[in-house]
Amino acid sequence: MISNWGSALGRTFRGTSAPLTYALIGLCCLIFVLGPASGFVPSYGTGDALLAAQRAYFRRWGVVPADLFGHPAREALTPITALFIHGSWIHLLGNMLFLYVFGAMTEERLGRVEFTLFYLVCGYLALLGYAVANADSEQSLVGASGAISAVLGAFLYLFPRARVTSLLPFLFFLPLRFPAWVVLPFWAALQWLAAGQAAQGPGVAYLAHLVGFTLGFGYAWVRFGRTTRVGAAPVTVPEGENQP
């Protein structure tokens, strides 16, 4: 999907050598297919039995804020395991699309080990931040949204002039190309507005998106500084309407 490139300090970034990004996508897809939400495993049953299995699965591997703070030693790893669990096909595919599009060039810029640690730590902190804000919630939180939002934040700092192809529903899904410094702050603003309206408690974890995005941008800013920002040539980055 990324056909052009950005360069900095004599190095070229094409998004074609990113094994950790592709491994994360493959692992998330495999875990989903083997879980109860995919509908592919008959042993989980059907109907009410399947719904019960899904609820138990999400509670076991997802972040439940009330459990996290009520039993911190037992639940401490759930913000990591939750990054690899998704609630539906749409949830999975939307997140993986964003990771595929924005993760490859970010991984090339950070390096494989650093990118992996960045992804896991930012994802953990994003889900933890959401749990702190909803400490009494009994609802399970799953998905890679927080970690992928951190990738978006880092991408914005590292490749601000990369061209992002967006499909806007109010323009009849006409594909339009904008630089990342326009598209990604607009996306973050939508998350901010949605988080402010989520007064009825957990649903879509918009706050985790915001925390992850801020962490990712801040990390890239501190890590690389203004003197090593990437001067990107136009990069076509298709973006769907699904939000991570």
Side-chain angles (χ1 to χ4, degrees):
M1 281 189 179
I2 298 179
S3 57
N4 295 318
W5 51 271
S7 64
L9 304 179
R11 184 178 172 188
T12 298
F13 300 93
R14 300 178 181 274
T16 56
S17 178
L20 268 301
T21 295
Y22 305 138
L24 286 169
I25 293 172
L27 182 59
C28 286
C29 291
L30 177 62
I31 290 173
F32 179 80
V33 168
L34 296 177
S38 70
F40 285 167
V41 182
S43 61
Y44 287 112
T46 59
D48 291 340
L50 178 59
L51 292 176
Q54 291 174 354
R55 286 193 295 268
Y57 183 79
F58 296 147
R59 192 173 189 93
R60 172 64 182 86
W61 300 108
V63 176
V64 180
D67 292 347
L68 179 62
F69 298 113
H71 309 280
R74 188 183 70 193
E75 302 292 326
L77 290 179
T78 55
I80 289 292
T81 59
L83 295 177
F84 299 93
I85 307 298
H86 291 83
S88 68
W89 282 102
I90 293 177
H91 188 203
L92 173 73
L93 295 177
N95 274 351
M96 294 306 100
L97 173 64
F98 270 75
L99 181 56
Y100 176 75
V101 168
F102 293 100
M105 286 176 63
T106 305
E107 179 185 337
E108 285 192 1
R109 186 71 177 96
L110 295 180
R112 296 173 185 176
V113 174
E114 185 176 353
F115 175 80
T116 303
L117 293 175
F118 164 82
Y119 182 91
L120 295 176
V121 171
C122 287
Y124 188 103
L125 293 176
L127 296 184
L128 182 62
Y130 179 87
V132 169
N134 299 276
D136 296 329
S137 173
E138 294 283 347
Q139 296 192 35
S140 302
L141 175 63
V142 297
S145 304
I148 295 171
S149 296
V151 172
L152 267 60
F155 187 97
L156 172 61
Y157 185 83
L158 296 172
F159 305 99
R161 289 180 288 171
R163 306 297 292 185
V164 179
T165 300
S166 302
L167 302 177
L168 304 177
F170 55 85
L171 292 178
F172 304 101
F173 294 97
L174 180 68
L176 299 174
R177 297 177 68 207
F178 299 100
W181 66 264
V182 172
V183 174
L184 294 180
F186 177 73
W187 173 86
L190 291 178
Q191 307 309 298
W192 177 270
L193 292 174
Q197 295 174 0
Q200 301 303 316
V204 177
Y206 297 110
L207 181 59
H209 300 175
L210 287 172
V211 173
F213 187 85
T214 302
L215 287 171
F217 186 89
Y219 177 82
W221 182 18
V222 172
R223 169 69 173 80
F224 294 98
R226 295 184 60 85
T227 58
T228 57
R229 290 184 75 177
V230 173
V235 178
T236 300
V237 186
E239 176 190 335
E241 277 301 300
N242 290 320
Q243 296 178 353

